[in-house]
Amino acid sequence: MAHRFPALTPDQKKELSEIAQRIVANGKGILAADESVGTMGNRLQRIKVENTEENRRQFREILFTVDNSINKSIGGVILFHETLYQKDSQGKLFRNILKEKGIVVGIKLDQGGAPLAGTNKETTIQGLDGLSERCAQYKKEGVDFGKWRAVLRIDDQCPSSLAIQENANALARYASICQQNGLVPIVEPEVLPDGSHDLEHCQYVTEKVLAAVYKALNDHHVYLEGTLLKPNMVTAGHACTKKYTPQQVAMATVTALHRTVPAAVPGICFLSGGMSEEDATLNLNAINLCPLPKPWKLSFSYGRALQASALDAWHGKAANKKATQDAFMKRAVANCQAAQGQYVHTGSSGAAATQSLFTASYTY
Amino acid sequence: MPHSYPALSAEQKKELCDIALRIVAPGKGILAADESVGSMAKRLSQIGVENTEENRRQYRQVLFSADDRVKKCIGGVIFFHETLYQKDDNGVPFVRTIQDKGIVVGIKVDKGVVPLAGTNGETTTQGLDGLSERCAQYKKDGADFAKWRCVLKISERTPSALAILENANVLARYASICQQNGIVPIVEPEILPDGDHDLKRCQYVTEKVLAAVYKALSDHHVYLEGTLLKPNMVTPGHACPIKYSPEEIAMATVTALRRTVPPAVPGVTFLSGGQSEEEASLNLNAINRCPLPRPWALTFSYGRALQASALNAWRGQRDNAEAATEEFIKRAEVNGLAAQGKYEGSGEDGGAAAQSLYIANHAY
């Protein structure tokens, strides 16, 4: 082994670890508002709003100009490239509005999937070309973290060793480049919920994927204390006939993380995938109540699960601004409580009822 | 990825997990009394005693006849094969004496190092042949855990990628076979302190080695909750001119572990390597006072650092047996305190002074 060549100076490490900790401090989580133009098209179509740049700008404006108290629940917002340069109706840049609220600004950095030939429709992610220069520019513009989503799926012969290896490697390259430019990389190896597999199989796959991710991060000399993880929760496939409780999801999820994610990682911010707003909150709450040791913050990085009601309330009409902001604030506060294991589901019998559903000696 | 094929049943997992937790219960560590016949030759020649089976038996008797005071600080004893079948002067098998004190019996199962051709004097460890049958027999004969030592060394071009990969792989095979037979594997990837490298170099190498070990354990489907890790502390090489405090050693050690050892591992039982008895205790104490969060037990698995004084007091004379046993009990109690960060030192600066030596912002 050659002598080591430090990838980062102590000052660079300090900056990265402080940014990461700020994002997940005190139960705060992330608003994933980085839907690409295409994905926003899907969202807007459901509420019969035309997918124009102005409409996208209007919706994001409503979210970002919500009352300042949002900064107690939201530590970071991930933006799409276009949104980084948009302004509110007074001409103020969105990114400055967020920063003034004390929220850390992040940017989606990947450039979508590319097929892996010779596999069962598996993919890797593009975006490494010129990434360093892009990161440097974003950093100048006030961005402090990046996000890159790799996708794996469970199916016949999937995820294959190649898909796991290749996506882990791309994530590690992206993370290394981010850190060189003062950006905290959010590492997102999403195992899709599509399929009819059960909870145990998802746990097994998630453990293999995360083990590969952390080996790759180590190989690429990534400073773990200056990263965040954005994984799927461990759940059964959408088409699985067996139903599981939030406590079972929580135990499987925390067990998988416990076996693969080093304690040096400051925070784990789950993606919501296809979960409803309420399920995403209930599951996060159960995760934070899980009796296993949890040395990292366990929080959220939700897109749909923070915005679905808000989108519904908005319906493209400026007059609905307050209702939209209220809907968003409500989910943000609920998830902040869940990230501290303090969410009380209105209508249920409270935290005590949920807590007792943990099967203490369940071995996974 | 094919469906998972569970390596262990729920009952097997529970048994392994319980054994591991018993060994590293708060305030307890391991007595490594598994010196091979060759190693015992070195120890005994230093005190002018002939290396006969009877002398080895008498010496182990000195250690194992320690009174109930060791119950609270010794959780496990590692035996050498010969010793597992020896008895005390009254015909009581050593295994029974140890078990009656509520201490878990362990067995060294590796068969020593062999060279890796084409490397700069590097080695792997043998012992896999027939290991399953041997483990099954040892389990019947009272052993509940095992130990296997791999060795790596730091020099200009070592440890090489091959040495790291091969030793990690062999450790994972051994661990997998142990668990199939109800035996908790202690995984020992020792990086020797020989050389003039500094603390940072040792930390870097330790992180690379441990990352490889845990990737291999994951690949081989080893149940982490039913294992223990026996690593070196992160220290400078013996010939390094720079001197480091116990706090610096602690910070480097805990940082390396936090970046590589998943929280699912119940305990880390350090080897003492060439450290003196007092040094090994002070370092372990500093490790347990390190301000970084530590999700595993951090304790000892000491050979020389528990026995040096006892060996010296004994010098092969029956009349000295009681005094020698006292020396051992003394070190055992000191290390039991150190494993809780409660050791005040042998009279020099007490704990408070030592604590202030932590450099809060030291970036490792």
Side-chain angles (χ1 to χ4, degrees):
Chain A
M1 173 179 295
H3 285 276
R4 72 184 186 120
F5 304 97
L8 299 164
T9 65
D11 284 338
Q12 285 176 302
K13 287 179 171 176
K14 186 169 189 295
E15 185 194 16
L16 290 166
S17 86
E18 280 174 358
I19 292 169
Q21 284 172 27
R22 249 175 37 232
I23 295 171
V24 295
N26 304 319
K28 289 190 265 191
I30 298 172
L31 164 64
D34 61 321
E35 296 86 353
S36 61
V37 173
T39 305
M40 268 320 274
N42 296 342
R43 307 271 180 271
L44 296 178
Q45 191 203 32
R46 281 216 202 92
I47 54 167
K48 313 261 193 299
V49 172
E50 205 191 337
N51 187 19
T52 61
E53 190 185 336
E54 176 55 18
N55 282 340
R56 296 192 292 273
R57 191 201 66 73
Q58 279 189 27
F59 181 63
R60 268 78 180 254
E61 174 170 349
I62 294 176
L63 294 181
F64 303 159
T65 55
V66 76
D67 180 70
N68 278 353
S69 62
I70 192 73
N71 63 15
K72 293 202 190 51
S73 320
I74 301 291
V77 174
I78 319 177
L79 300 178
F80 180 63
H81 179 83
E82 164 191 89
T83 322
L84 189 65
Y85 304 99
Q86 285 179 327
K87 304 171 176 143
D88 71 4
S89 27
Q90 270 87 56
K92 187 158 182 191
L93 282 166
F94 283 159
R95 65 190 196 235
N96 291 336
I97 294 173
L98 291 169
K99 282 177 95 86
E100 274 164 32
K101 287 188 185 353
I103 294 174
V104 186
V105 174
I107 185 82
K108 182 222 278 306
L109 287 171
D110 68 77
Q111 309 215 302
L116 284 171
T119 65
N120 181 8
K121 303 206 237 355
E122 294 178 293
T123 59
T124 180
I125 305 289
Q126 324 181 93
L128 292 178
D129 298 350
L131 180 59
S132 190
E133 290 75 13
R134 293 173 58 216
C135 285
Q137 186 58 36
Y138 286 136
K139 180 76 176 178
K140 281 208 200 98
E141 285 157 354
V143 175
D144 282 316
F145 72 95
K147 177 215 130 183
W148 175 291
R149 176 174 174 257
V151 180
L152 295 136
R153 60 193 203 88
I154 297 178
D155 195 349
D156 182 36
Q157 303 301 315
C158 303
S160 64
S161 318
L162 172 64
I164 294 178
Q165 202 49 46
E166 172 58 25
N167 281 284
N169 192 62
L171 276 166
R173 278 296 297 133
Y174 138 80
S176 166
I177 293 171
C178 274
Q179 293 194 329
Q180 290 300 300
N181 291 284
L183 297 183
V184 166
I186 297 192
V187 172
E188 180 177 354
E190 174 170 10
V191 176
L192 292 176
D194 304 40
S196 54
H197 52 274
D198 62 12
L199 186 73
E200 286 74 20
H201 190 65
C202 178
Q203 183 185 331
Y204 173 77
V205 171
T206 302
E207 287 178 16
K208 292 301 176 193
V209 167
L210 290 177
V213 167
Y214 281 96
K215 180 60 164 64
L217 291 176
N218 183 284
D219 288 342
H220 286 257
H221 316 298
V222 174
Y223 175 59
L224 293 188
E225 292 89 330
T227 65
L228 292 169
L229 179 68
K230 178 166 169 168
N232 50 286
M233 294 181 188
V234 172
T235 62
H238 279 157
C240 179
T241 46
K242 193 162 170 210
K243 293 299 157 215
Y244 297 88
T245 62
Q247 287 67 33
Q248 287 172 309
V249 166
M251 186 61 92
T253 302
V254 180
T255 301
L257 297 171
H258 193 233
R259 290 176 180 170
T260 53
V261 184
V265 174
I268 298 178
C269 303
F270 297 98
L271 57 93
S272 48
M275 279 182 238
S276 69
E277 289 177 326
E278 191 62 12
D279 279 347
T281 304
L282 286 174
N283 286 339
L284 181 62
N285 194 52
I287 281 169
N288 277 281
L289 291 174
C290 179
L292 296 176
K294 305 177 287 286
W296 348 255
K297 294 275 166 63
L298 289 159
S299 184
F300 58 94
S301 175
Y302 291 167
R304 280 168 284 181
L306 274 170
Q307 300 176 69
S309 302
L311 269 167
D312 255 359
W314 181 50
H315 254 85
K317 301 188 170 39
N320 294 336
K321 173 171 165 177
K322 183 170 189 315
T324 308
Q325 291 186 331
D326 285 349
F328 169 54
M329 178 69 89
K330 189 166 141 193
R331 287 331 300 172
V333 168
N335 285 308
C336 179
Q337 289 169 346
Q340 300 173 90
Q342 289 168 8
Y343 177 62
V344 178
H345 180 198
T346 45
S348 77
S349 28
T354 38
Q355 184 123 15
S356 65
L357 293 171
F358 274 114
T359 327
S361 49
Y362 201 121
T363 4
Y364 284 78
Chain B
M1 173 178 293
H3 285 274
S4 69
Y5 305 95
L8 299 163
S9 67
E11 287 77 27
Q12 286 175 302
K13 284 179 171 178
K14 184 170 197 308
E15 186 195 14
L16 291 166
C17 182
D18 285 347
I19 292 169
L21 288 172
R22 257 175 37 229
I23 297 170
V24 296
K28 296 194 196 177
I30 299 172
L31 163 64
D34 62 320
E35 295 85 354
S36 61
V37 174
S39 293
M40 275 314 283
K42 293 190 210 139
R43 308 270 180 274
L44 296 179
S45 84
Q46 260 159 7
I47 53 167
V49 173
E50 204 190 339
N51 187 23
T52 62
E53 192 188 333
E54 175 56 15
N55 282 342
R56 292 192 297 272
R57 189 194 69 77
Q58 280 194 30
Y59 174 62
R60 267 65 182 260
Q61 181 171 252
V62 164
L63 299 176
F64 301 160
S65 59
D67 61 32
D68 283 356
R69 278 175 288 166
V70 293
K71 279 174 150 181
K72 62 180 186 322
C73 45
I74 299 290
V77 174
I78 319 180
F79 282 65
F80 179 61
H81 177 88
E82 165 191 86
T83 322
L84 199 68
Y85 302 101
Q86 286 179 328
K87 305 175 171 130
D88 67 15
D89 292 342
N90 301 321
V92 177
F94 284 151
V95 168
R96 184 133 59 84
T97 306
I98 293 299
Q99 285 175 335
D100 285 350
K101 290 200 207 313
I103 298 174
V104 187
V105 169
I107 178 79
K108 181 226 280 304
V109 297
D110 71 77
K111 294 193 173 182
V113 298
V114 289
L116 283 171
T119 65
N120 182 10
E122 296 180 289
T123 61
T124 181
T125 297
Q126 39 181 23
L128 292 178
D129 298 350
L131 180 59
S132 190
E133 290 74 15
R134 292 173 61 217
C135 282
Q137 187 59 47
Y138 285 137
K139 180 79 175 176
K140 284 207 196 98
D141 295 339
D144 281 316
F145 74 95
K147 178 215 125 181
W148 175 293
R149 177 172 175 259
C150 275
V151 181
L152 296 136
K153 62 189 184 86
I154 299 179
S155 75
E156 181 70 33
R157 294 195 191 287
T158 65
S160 65
L162 172 64
I164 295 178
L165 193 72
E166 169 58 24
N167 281 284
N169 193 60
V170 89
L171 277 166
R173 279 295 299 135
Y174 140 80
S176 166
I177 292 170
C178 279
Q179 293 193 329
Q180 291 299 301
N181 291 284
I183 292 195
V184 166
I186 296 193
V187 172
E188 180 177 354
E190 173 172 10
I191 299 164
L192 295 176
D194 305 35
D196 59 4
H197 52 273
D198 63 10
L199 186 72
K200 279 198 184 319
R201 178 92 197 279
C202 179
Q203 184 186 332
Y204 174 78
V205 172
T206 302
E207 288 177 18
K208 293 300 174 194
V209 168
L210 291 178
V213 167
Y214 282 97
K215 180 59 166 60
L217 291 176
S218 168
D219 290 343
H220 286 257
H221 315 298
V222 174
Y223 175 59
L224 293 188
E225 292 89 324
T227 64
L228 292 171
L229 178 70
K230 178 166 171 168
N232 49 285
M233 293 183 190
V234 173
T235 63
H238 277 159
C240 178
I242 312 174
K243 292 302 155 213
Y244 298 88
S245 64
E247 290 69 32
E248 289 172 295
I249 284 173
M251 187 63 93
T253 302
V254 176
T255 300
L257 297 173
R258 274 169 54 79
R259 290 176 180 169
T260 53
V261 183
V265 176
V268 175
T269 61
F270 295 98
L271 58 93
S272 48
Q275 295 178 42
S276 69
E277 287 176 329
E278 188 62 10
E279 228 184 317
S281 301
L282 289 175
N283 285 337
L284 180 62
N285 194 53
I287 281 169
N288 278 282
R289 291 199 186 174
C290 181
L292 297 174
R294 301 161 258 121
W296 350 255
L298 289 162
T299 181
F300 57 94
S301 175
Y302 290 168
R304 277 167 285 180
L306 273 170
Q307 301 176 55
S309 298
L311 206 52
N312 245 322
W314 180 56
R315 302 201 82 85
Q317 309 296 329
R318 272 193 185 281
D319 293 342
N320 296 339
E322 224 177 283
T325 309
E326 271 308 305
E327 291 294 332
F328 163 59
I329 296 175
K330 202 166 98 183
R331 282 333 295 176
E333 289 183 318
V334 160
N335 286 305
L337 289 173
Q340 302 173 83
K342 291 182 181 161
Y343 178 48
E344 295 300 329
S346 56
E348 329 118 56
D349 337 321
Q355 185 118 19
S356 65
L357 292 172
Y358 276 113
I359 310 167
N361 298 325
H362 202 313
Y364 283 80

